[in-house]
Amino acid sequence: MRKLFAQPGFPRLFGGLSTSMLGDSVMLLVLSMWVKTLTGSNALAGLTFFFMVLPALGAPLLGVWVDRLPRKSILVWGNFASAAAVLPLVFVRDENDVWLIWVVAFLYGVSFVVLPAAVNGLLKELLPEDLLVNANASLATIKEGYRLFGPLVGAAIFATAGGWLVAVVDAATFAVAGLLIATIKVTEAPAPVKSTFREDLLGGVRFLAGDRVLRHVVAGLAISILVIGFFESSIYALMDAFDKPATFSGVFVTCQGVGAVIGGLTASWAVRRLGEIATCAVGLTALAVATVVCAAAPTIALVLVGAGICGLGLPWTFVAFTTLMQRRSPGHLIGRVSTAVEVLISTPQAISLALGSLLVSLLSYRQIFAIIATVILLGVLQIVLTLPAEIRGDLTSGDRQEDALSLEGIED
């Protein structure tokens, strides 16, 4: 990690992204919690996340501009715009204002499409390829680490002062992030000569379709995410089953954060040892196992153990996949590839959030969790059965890397 933070510009980028992630961790659970408190409806609370992922449907259009404009500028002005977008929450008073929460959730979703795509592009400009996995792992660790206290802080502020103060805090973190990133000195490669808008729009999709490895891994992720969104609606049904208030979901997410910190700290080791493809599959398997534990748990304590296992699997899955995407995508296409992936992953997520809002009123949370685990394992099989040669090659390469590191340690 010393080599990573010695790279010019990365410490300030890390500082800016870490600050905005802190605001996210405090705010995101509050949005659905706010709707649940105002309406008493688990379905409407789950629908909040649907509005958050809805902008992903227009991601290819946004990706064109991410590749045409300087990525640093996008991150600076995007953070300032995000700060302005959350401030209307200070006007929410009762259930008649729920629509305003959903508008903010939608705008939040826009930032979730644009800003990560710009980050992927800027990381390729700032860092050599062999440090990308370290950068992704360090960002995942800090992001998931905030789950240890961020949701609890957000729930506490919401319960004592109200959601308006959470909005102000979140806006402040976006503003600080924009100011920090503005100080980075980076010379970005010039954008390629523009082709027709249609060709630009479809560039990322065409690249994904032509890259066999990315195509199959994205398919496996999409299958899994088709049901992962069920968690957002059923989490409150789970709390109800154990006679816990909606705010107790903050404890669940905090336990998830404990596992996620461990996952983030070990993700770069896993990728170097197993390869991106196998690590992604193992991470998804951990999510399936966690779901089974939560579904079968007779006590809330065991549910929280399942939350920890879930947290472990998340960074392994997404650090591995993000590194794979960054490594295999050309720099001038990274924005469009990132947003194309966003569509292919967020579309099933949007479907699962909407369907989950319906299922929570028809099935028990145990039945829903059984469906989640089964479908995630189908996604794992999609990856493992279509890319066996690539996984074997990565494992062999991982053995060689581990031997080389061991020899270096002996020589030192």
Side-chain angles (χ1 to χ4, degrees), residues 110-250:
V110 173
S111 73
F112 282 170
V113 173
V114 174
L115 299 186
V119 168
N120 285 333
L122 191 57
L123 284 175
K124 283 183 72 75
E125 299 286 352
L126 287 175
L127 303 176
E129 186 174 286
D130 65 315
L131 290 180
L132 288 174
V133 65
N134 299 74
N136 293 326
S138 63
L139 289 170
T141 300
I142 196 70
K143 177 181 178 180
E144 301 297 343
Y146 284 144
R147 291 177 182 266
L148 296 174
F149 61 89
L152 290 177
V153 170
I157 295 174
F158 176 75
T160 56
W164 69 271
L165 185 55
V166 181
V168 172
V169 170
D170 194 23
T173 63
F174 277 123
V176 171
L179 291 172
L180 279 173
I181 295 172
T183 65
I184 297 173
K185 294 181 180 180
V186 59
T187 301
E188 298 190 51
V193 178
K194 296 178 184 178
S195 54
T196 66
F197 185 78
R198 182 175 180 274
E199 290 175 341
D200 281 347
L201 187 64
L202 297 177
V205 175
R206 286 175 175 167
F207 180 81
L208 283 175
D211 189 293
R212 178 175 173 272
V213 172
L214 283 176
R215 183 172 70 246
H216 287 304
V217 175
V218 168
L221 279 174
I223 290 170
S224 301
I225 291 172
L226 188 59
V227 293
I228 287 178
F230 293 178
F231 274 119
E232 310 299 349
S233 297
S234 55
I235 184 66
Y236 295 110
L238 176 61
M239 296 299 104
D240 291 342
F242 287 94
D243 296 322
K244 299 296 181 181
T247 51
F248 192 83
S249 58

Side-chain angles (χ1 to χ4, degrees), residues 59-71:
L61 179 62
L62 298 172
V64 171
W65 295 106
V66 171
D67 281 336
R68 286 184 175 182
L69 299 173
R71 278 67 179 265

Side-chain angles (χ1 to χ4, degrees), residues 31 48 51-53 55 100-110:
L31 290 174
T48 305
F51 285 106
M52 200 175 297
V53 302
L100 191 54
I101 298 176
W102 287 340
V103 169
V104 172
F106 179 85
L107 295 175
Y108 229 121
V110 173

Side-chain angles (χ1 to χ4, degrees), residues 315-326:
W316 277 42
T317 301
F318 290 103
V319 167
F321 175 71
T322 301
T323 304
L324 182 69
M325 179 181 65
Q326 291 169 341

